[in-house]
Amino acid sequence: MCSRPIRSPCVAWPQEILYDELRRFVGVLMPRADGVPLGAFAFHAELLKKQFPSWTRYDLTRLCLNLSASVHTLHRYGVVLGDLHPGNVLVSPDGTVCWVDADSFQIEDYPCSVGTERFWAPEL
């Protein structure tokens, strides 16, 4: 992933591999992403009003369009979201989104190895 950079505000994409002083892998550097997890408000009107009290149906429509555009952006880079889970995307007050769970991405011949059973295709 670090060798195929994606510079887009819609995804917290790994930027650099991090090693300790003995050159052992310890993690990756990723941009900071702020927002509220989509699952924390999207499925209950009361939670939506608590998180974004001024939002209207217009804002919800804008959020849906931003989600769709973000998936399209990832697809243009050859990335398939292997786990479309509402906890994997952060939403800002202006309705912008950022996918944050990069280990659920499928890239080239590297399939997604994680997922949420209730979101799996029936044949799985």
Side-chain angles (χ1 to χ4, degrees), residues 7-115:
R7 301 287 187 245
S8 171
C10 74
V11 61
W13 192 263
Q15 296 177 332
E16 186 178 335
I17 299 172
L18 302 175
Y19 301 95
D20 67 10
E21 62 278 351
L22 298 175
R23 299 287 302 152
R24 293 179 296 204
F25 173 79
V26 294
V28 293
L29 178 67
M30 297 176 72
R32 179 179 175 87
D34 292 313
V36 178
L38 180 65
F41 70 89
F43 306 108
H44 302 285
E46 294 170 12
L47 295 176
L48 172 63
K49 281 296 178 194
K50 182 177 180 182
Q51 290 295 331
F52 303 113
S54 65
W55 273 27
T56 65
R57 290 188 187 274
Y58 173 85
D59 298 293
L60 290 172
T61 302
R62 182 184 58 196
L63 171 60
C64 292
L65 291 171
N66 289 341
L67 280 167
S68 177
S70 69
V71 171
H72 179 70
T73 296
L74 290 170
H75 285 178
R76 281 196 337 258
Y77 281 99
V79 175
V80 175
L81 291 161
D83 189 17
L84 288 170
H85 188 282
N88 294 349
V89 61
L90 298 180
V91 179
S92 297
D94 66 358
T96 58
V97 299
C98 183
W99 292 92
V100 294
D101 194 2
D103 68 339
S104 66
F105 295 166
Q106 295 182 143
I107 305 165
E108 296 175 354
D109 294 331
Y110 299 97
C112 172
S113 61
V114 299

Side-chain angles (χ1 to χ4, degrees), residues 43 82-86 115-122 124:
F43 306 108
D83 189 17
L84 288 170
H85 188 282
T116 304
E117 187 173 348
R118 67 183 177 157
F119 294 105
W120 289 353
L124 296 177

Side-chain angles (χ1 to χ4, degrees), residues 1-12:
M1 292 175 82
C2 290
S3 69
R4 296 189 55 193
I6 294 178
R7 301 287 187 245
S8 171
C10 74
V11 61

